[in-house]
Amino acid sequence: QVHLVESGGGLVQAGGSLRLSCEASGRTASPYAMGWFRQAPGKEREFVAAIGWNWNAGTPHYANSVKGRFTISRDNVENMLYLRMTMLKPEDTAVYYCAADKEAYRTASELVPVYWGQGTQVTVSS
């Protein structure tokens, strides 16, 4: 079992930046693929970004809507997952969730999110 806690959300103007953090406990973050998802009001939860279990487990994956603006990274020593968000747009407004796989040694493209955090709100004003 793993417990995920997100932080770093907030209110930011369009064009601004935020960095989300996700702390994993109860189980080491390594060697599990992890990712970020988001859910806007009235919409279904959608994929944002994923990262493999370690630095050489393939390249991270991003939703087309965030490519070139968001960067996912991880620190397996500190059991942390990050999402650096730049050039934010009002349409990025959503609750952002951290997720982790249950099976070990998967790449970003293989991520099956099983464990979820409680979410952190990101609001981008125009």
Side-chain angles (χ1 to χ4, degrees):
Q1 187 72 11
V2 62
H3 185 55
L4 303 172
V5 178
E6 303 94 336
S7 61
L11 174 64
V12 63
Q13 287 189 331
S17 300
L18 280 175
R19 190 180 80 155
L20 305 183
S21 300
C22 173
E23 181 177 8
S25 61
R27 180 192 78 176
T28 177
S30 172
Y32 303 93
M34 298 184 73
W36 290 95
F37 294 74
R38 67 187 182 186
Q39 187 167 18
K43 296 186 177 181
E44 294 189 352
R45 191 171 299 188
E46 64 176 6
F47 168 77
V48 175
I51 190 167
W53 70 277
N54 82 345
W55 65 272
N56 65 351
T59 58
H61 280 207
Y62 297 94
N64 288 335
S65 58
V66 306
K67 277 182 182 177
R69 301 189 298 121
F70 291 11
T71 303
I72 188 172
S73 61
R74 65 187 298 162
D75 183 335
N76 285 346
V77 175
E78 299 294 332
N79 286 335
M80 297 292 294
L81 178 73
Y82 303 101
L83 185 69
R84 175 66 174 168
M85 305 185 294
T86 64
M87 297 180 285
L88 282 161
K89 305 174 182 180
E91 50 263 44
D92 294 318
T93 295
V95 177
Y96 283 71
Y97 296 91
C98 171
D101 206 319
K102 186 177 182 179
E103 299 297 325
Y105 306 116
R106 282 184 170 155
T107 64
S109 62
E110 297 170 335
L111 169 67
V112 177
V114 174
Y115 302 109
W116 296 89
Q118 84 291 345
T120 185
Q121 176 71 46
V122 172
T123 302
V124 184
S125 63
S126 56

